[in-house]
């Protein structure tokens, strides 16, 4: 078993970059183990071996963190499918497997809380209910040995602050990353949260409230997230996180929920998002820009798969276990340069294949 693993904040203080592979919901929806719409991680209790396998696969692709698959394993979501009796099992199973894989691989393990979908600004009763939802997930994460908490995908400043306060109150001193999902809202021509807090003000307040890392996740692809990251960087000194979805969002359609098919004009979310997937070259450009900006926590969110995480890690200059199988076109029968390859397909009769 590996020795003591260097903590999140020590890594960041030493100038290191931390990669977090996310996207479990979409991975298991594509594989037929999770229903789009409700997006409840039932697979954790029904096919736990597959979740463990995905943890291991993301590690092989270069993730520094085994993120426990507890996203949407909260009371609002499980009530939609009438599985409230499974909520603790769902959380603890995901956390325990993540801890085991992290210990086996020398990785960090993170607990995960997220948007509640019931938050309402200026509604104390709802705020109390949301905080209780956060509390139980945080406490389970602490009990199962999380190294830090990732709180993410908040569209309201108020809910992000509630999550941060909950981790500070119930997280037993664990570091916390707080990431927001940014939509189209504006206040006086400036990007703003759904509850109307301007972008710079949002992150200044969260920094003042004690967040250890701040940033964005989900909603936006690299092309429309990075300009916002540049804005945020001007406002705060806290280490930054950028974890976009791997979709080709645009200025006109900045979020993957708003993307439309370039051929039909029909909304792509959710079943047809494949038509807007990023290329691996897009992920390389994202990684390069993150390095230029000094963003220290990076990853890919909904839509991620291991090849994207590997591409991102290799762009950061790493050789990861899965790099053994990285592309080597020198051995390809049409485009290769290896002396053992037949020349028939590269010249002469084979030219027809490459035109």
């Amino acid at each position: 078993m590996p020795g003591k693993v260097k903590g999140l904040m020590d890594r960041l203080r030493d100038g290191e970059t931390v990669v977090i592979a996310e996207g479990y919901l979409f991975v298991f929806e594509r594989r037929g183990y999770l229903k789009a719409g409700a997006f409840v991680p039932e697979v954790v209790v029904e096919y736990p071996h597959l979740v463990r396998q995905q943890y291991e696969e993301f590690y092989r692709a270069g993730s520094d963190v085994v993120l426990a698959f507890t996203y949407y394993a909260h009371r609002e979501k499980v009530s939609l499918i009438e599985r409230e009796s499974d909520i603790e099992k769902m959380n603890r199973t995901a956390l325990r497997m993540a801890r085991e894989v992290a210990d086996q691989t020398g990785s960090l393990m993170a607990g995960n809380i997220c948007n509640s979908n019931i938050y309402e600004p200026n509604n104390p009763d709802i705020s109390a209910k949301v905080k209780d939802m956060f509390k139980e997930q945080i406490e389970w994460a602490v009990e199962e040995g999380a190294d830090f908490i990732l709180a993410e995908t908040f569209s309201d400043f108020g809910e992000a602050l509630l999550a941060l306060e909950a981790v500070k109150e119930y997280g037993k001193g664990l570091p916390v990353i707080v990431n927001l999902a940014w939509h189209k809202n504006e206040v006086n021509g400036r990007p703003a949260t759904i509850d109307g807090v301007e972008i710079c003000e949002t992150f200044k307040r969260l920094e003042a409230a004690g967040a250890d890392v701040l940033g964005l996740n989900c909603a936006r692809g690299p092309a429309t997230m990075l300009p916002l990251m540049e804005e945020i960087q001007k406002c705060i000194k806290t280490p930054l996180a950028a974890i976009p979805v791997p979709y080709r969002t645009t200025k006109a359609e900045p979020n993957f929920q708003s993307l439309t098919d370039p051929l039909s004009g029909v909304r792509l979310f959710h079943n047809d998002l494949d038509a807007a997937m990023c290329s691996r070259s897009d992920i390389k450009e994202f990684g390069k820009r993150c390095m230029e900006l000094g963003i220290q926590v990076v990853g890919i969110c909904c839509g991620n798969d291991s090849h994207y995480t590997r591409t991102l890690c290799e762009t950061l200059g790493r050789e990861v276990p899965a790099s053994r199988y990285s592309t080597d076109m020198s051995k390809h029968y049409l485009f290769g340069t290896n002396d053992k390859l037949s020349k028939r397909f590269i010249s002469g009769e084979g030219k027809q294949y490459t035109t």
Side-chain angles (χ1 to χ4, degrees), residues 18-33:
V18 175
V19 176
I20 306 178
E22 298 197 46
Y24 295 101
L25 286 175
F26 279 33
V27 166
F28 286 109
E29 189 279 331
R30 287 193 299 262
R31 292 169 63 182
Y33 295 99

Side-chain angles (χ1 to χ4, degrees), residues 61-236:
S63 184
D64 297 305
V65 179
V66 182
L67 179 64
F69 186 21
T70 59
Y71 190 97
Y72 275 170
H74 59 55
R75 292 201 175 270
E76 185 271 339
K77 278 295 187 181
V78 296
S79 68
L80 288 175
I81 60 169
E82 300 181 350
R83 294 197 70 160
E84 293 95 326
S85 62
D86 286 332
I87 187 170
E88 183 170 357
K89 181 180 180 182
M90 196 176 291
N91 278 267
R92 288 194 185 273
T93 301
L95 288 158
R96 285 173 184 167
M97 290 192 298
R99 183 70 268 166
E100 290 166 3
V101 173
D103 288 342
Q104 290 163 6
T105 58
S107 305
L108 293 167
M109 191 277 265
N112 193 197
I113 61 173
C114 67
N115 50 308
S116 69
N117 304 315
I118 62 171
Y119 176 77
E120 296 176 7
N122 306 313
N123 187 328
D125 292 337
I126 291 293
S127 291
K129 188 174 181 180
V130 170
K131 194 168 183 179
D132 283 343
M133 288 167 53
F134 293 149
K135 176 180 182 291
E136 65 181 354
Q137 285 194 289
I138 293 165
E139 290 179 336
W140 288 327
V142 170
E143 291 168 8
E144 299 297 342
D147 296 306
F148 68 91
I149 303 293
L150 174 61
E152 62 180 349
T153 328
F154 304 112
S155 300
D156 290 283
F157 163 76
E159 187 171 40
L161 183 61
L162 267 180
L164 174 56
E165 291 172 347
V167 178
K168 290 293 183 181
E169 188 171 350
Y170 307 113
K172 302 291 186 181
L174 291 181
V176 56
I177 299 174
V178 180
N179 287 336
L180 283 85
W182 213 267
H183 297 275
K184 295 181 178 181
N185 287 51
E186 292 186 349
V187 170
N188 298 323
R190 293 278 296 153
T193 59
I194 299 296
D195 53 352
V197 183
E198 183 267 343
I199 188 168
C200 197
E201 186 67 18
T202 292
F203 287 94
K204 283 182 176 180
R205 291 187 193 178
L206 292 171
E207 181 179 54
D212 295 291
V213 180
L214 287 165
L216 301 176
N217 81 291
C218 209
R220 293 184 174 231
T224 55
M225 180 177 286
L226 285 171
L228 291 182
M229 294 303 306
E230 294 179 40
E231 293 257 353
I232 296 164
Q233 191 175 48
K234 297 172 185 175
C235 305
I236 60 174

